[in-house]
Amino acid sequence: MKYQLIIIGAGVWGTSAALAAAQYGLKSILLIEANNGVATESSAKAGGIVTDLVWNPEDVSWVQRSRILYQRAFAKSQDRSILQRYGMLTLAEPSRAALLEKRAGGLLDRGIAAQLWDVARITENFPQLDRLRRDTVALWTPEDFHVNPTAYAEATVSEARDLGLSLRLGHPVTAIRLESRQVAVEVGGEIVMGDNVLVAAGTWTRKLLQPIGFQLPMRPYRVQLSSLDFPHGYHLPILWELATDVYLVPDGPHNLLAGDGTRLFEHDPDHYQTTGDEEFESTIAGHVIDLMSRADTAGLRTSWAGLCASTPDRRPLVGPVADRLFVACGDQGFGVMRGPALGELAAQIVLGEAQAPHLNPLRYPLTDFPIRPGFTLEEDV
Ligand SMILES: Cc1cc2nc3c(=O)[nH]c(=O)nc-3n(C[C@H](O)[C@H](O)[C@H](O)COP(=O)(O)OP(=O)(O)OC[C@H]3O[C@@H](n4cnc5c(N)ncnc54)[C@H](O)[C@@H]3O)c2cc1C
């Protein structure tokens, strides 16, 4: 079989690229996913936070474009879990008040709602946060929302299939071969040919390209999340506590997701512990109890770990690595909030509709660069 475009990996990035390419009018697109469903790896394990409180202006634009694409999927789909608008409260010590003020100013300049709150204002709106220090300061960003990436990816693929997308689930791509005027992809014991191939295989992307001589500068690291059971329910927005780097995400009336457990050393996507560490589970529970007495009666439902990919400059790797062969990866731990936009950008680059030389996937050699998280509030931008 021969396709105009083959996309490898059906996470948020790959499914978004598939829909964008179909909307551009490509008639034969094949999306290949190793697992039996779409968005079952990192995209399924994410907290699903979508916020404009990111440090790079280009990221703000990608979050804003992704918001539009999430809202569009929500409006078209019957699945109400795709998006929930909770707002986000970023909590900080007084020493970081000036930074929050600067960030609030930056958001307001872009027309994005943001307010600085003191502890009285916080507890007036969210009384269950009854254990905050009296000098806590906060930035309230009411437009921030939570998404269900799997529901979004399913809706996106369904729309793309209506436009002619072919989907192949349950078989990993085992080899890619560059030929003079096309790219051969081996999957399920067969060879399929593509005029162009986009590899959006998340933290596996480096492993897929290594055998044909491309050394992508990305290093996978492990991130953990717990789901806590609040038998009596709770009323909270998305919370991000800068001092501990703990974040909490509402996930239904009784479940609260709680994360912080970034392990900044390299992991192999085929061999890593996919459950949470005991130490992580007890530390995160302690952090939540420090924020509110309601957590005293909460229990651990489950915990898990997924991988994110760091790059030397913490910017994504999106673009060609060879004639007809493209990649989109390097999420830095906040690829759900930018994924729809970056998938779309990757499709545009493949189709010659956009260029992003600064995201050139091979702009750095693969060296032993330090792994750094990307979703941080930087002091000096
Ligand atoms: C615990 C945790 C919490 C997170 N929280 C957030 C958050 O709140 N907000 C946020 O923005 N981001 C968050 N992230 C990051 C986010 O999950 C990722 O940035 C995003 O999911 C990346 O999407 P992706 O499509 O690139 O990768 P993936 O979702 O991993 O998709 C890649 C796909 O490629 C497939 N694949 C791999 N190899 C092959 C092959 N050989 N053949 C075919 N298919 C293949 C995989 O099966 C997978 O489905 C979090 C991550 C973790 C782990």
Side-chain angles (χ1 to χ4, degrees):
M1 277 298 280
K2 169 121 190 281
Y3 295 88
Q4 287 171 297
L5 174 60
I6 298 174
I7 300 173
I8 302 170
V12 167
W13 294 32
T15 53
S16 301
L19 177 57
Q23 287 170 333
Y24 267 97
L26 278 203
K27 291 291 168 231
S28 67
I29 308 170
L30 173 65
L31 175 61
I32 305 175
E33 166 55 48
N35 292 343
N36 286 323
V38 302
T40 49
E41 292 292 343
S42 296
S43 295
K45 296 176 175 182
I49 300 173
V50 175
T51 176
D52 306 283
L53 204 56
V54 287
W55 51 271
N56 187 297
E58 198 173 31
D59 287 335
V60 181
S61 310
W62 290 331
V63 169
Q64 290 189 323
R65 178 64 187 154
S66 296
R67 277 180 186 284
I68 292 169
L69 296 172
Y70 278 121
Q71 279 162 325
R72 203 179 147 275
F74 181 74
K76 287 195 131 194
S77 163
Q78 303 296 316
D79 191 337
R80 299 298 83 191
S81 77
I82 289 181
L83 183 160
Q84 265 116 10
R85 194 181 304 276
Y86 294 115
M88 186 167 89
L89 199 54
T90 303
L91 304 170
E93 293 161 321
S95 60
R96 302 194 88 188
L99 176 63
L100 290 192
E101 200 171 333
K102 191 171 151 196
R103 285 290 174 280
L107 293 175
L108 290 168
D109 286 348
R110 286 175 170 262
I112 299 167
Q115 290 172 358
L116 292 169
W117 285 4
D118 61 13
V119 88
R121 188 84 191 272
I122 298 170
T123 46
E124 183 190 323
N125 285 279
F126 299 105
Q128 289 171 7
L129 291 171
D130 55 359
R131 286 183 174 154
L132 295 181
R133 281 174 44 165
R134 300 309 305 163
D135 56 1
T136 300
V137 290
L139 177 58
W140 171 238
T141 40
E143 288 167 25
D144 289 344
F145 52 63
H146 167 252
V147 292
N148 175 339
T150 306
Y152 161 82
E154 282 168 353
T156 300
V157 161
S158 157
E159 193 181 342
R161 291 187 87 172
D162 290 344
L163 297 173
L165 172 78
S166 304
L167 176 66
R168 183 155 182 175
L169 296 174
H171 293 283
V173 166
T174 42
I176 299 171
R177 204 173 55 248
L178 290 170
E179 298 194 348
S180 59
R181 303 175 84 161
Q182 49 196 357
V183 182
V185 169
E186 187 182 299
V187 56
E190 267 183 69
I191 303 288
V192 281
M193 306 302 295
D195 289 337
N196 290 296
V197 169
L198 170 65
V199 186
T203 51
W204 283 270
T205 306
R206 190 179 100 198
K207 283 186 102 169
L208 256 171
L209 292 185
Q210 252 162 356
I212 48 170
F214 300 107
Q215 301 288 351
L216 287 186
M218 57 169 274
R219 301 182 66 202
Y221 63 97
R222 183 164 166 268
V223 179
Q224 304 177 72
L225 210 53
S226 276
S227 174
L228 305 178
D229 177 32
F230 279 69
H232 308 297
Y234 61 85
H235 170 58
L236 289 175
I238 299 168
L239 278 174
W240 180 20
E241 192 189 41
L242 295 185
T244 53
D245 209 20
V246 165
Y247 59 95
L248 306 181
V249 187
D251 186 31
H254 298 283
N255 291 333
L256 185 68
L257 304 180
D260 84 339
T262 302
R263 298 288 179 265
L264 294 177
F265 51 90
E266 189 163 334
H267 289 76
D268 179 342
D270 291 314
H271 304 282
Y272 73 96
Q273 187 189 328
T274 55
T275 52
D277 307 339
E278 263 177 45
E279 186 209 332
F280 162 72
E281 290 172 352
S282 59
T283 314
I284 196 78
H287 283 316
V288 182
I289 287 169
D290 287 346
L291 291 171
M292 53 185 165
S293 54
R294 181 158 283 239
D296 294 348
T297 53
L300 175 72
R301 212 168 56 85
T302 183
S303 70
W304 60 87
L307 296 188
C308 301
S310 188
T311 65
D313 58 1
R314 299 192 295 163
R315 309 302 299 143
L317 311 176
V318 183
V321 292
D323 194 24
R324 300 175 181 277
L325 180 60
F326 301 79
V327 302
C329 61
D331 67 290
Q332 279 298 159
F334 62 128
V336 162
M337 61 183 88
R338 300 170 302 153
L342 285 168
E344 181 182 63
L345 175 64
Q348 289 166 344
I349 292 174
V350 171
L351 298 173
E353 299 286 336
Q355 288 191 335
H358 62 296
L359 304 179
N360 171 7
L362 299 173
R363 63 188 178 274
Y364 293 102
L366 173 58
T367 50
D368 194 19
F369 60 88
I371 294 176
R372 294 178 295 157
F375 182 45
T376 54
L377 207 67
E378 306 290 303
E379 297 282 347
D380 53 354
V381 287

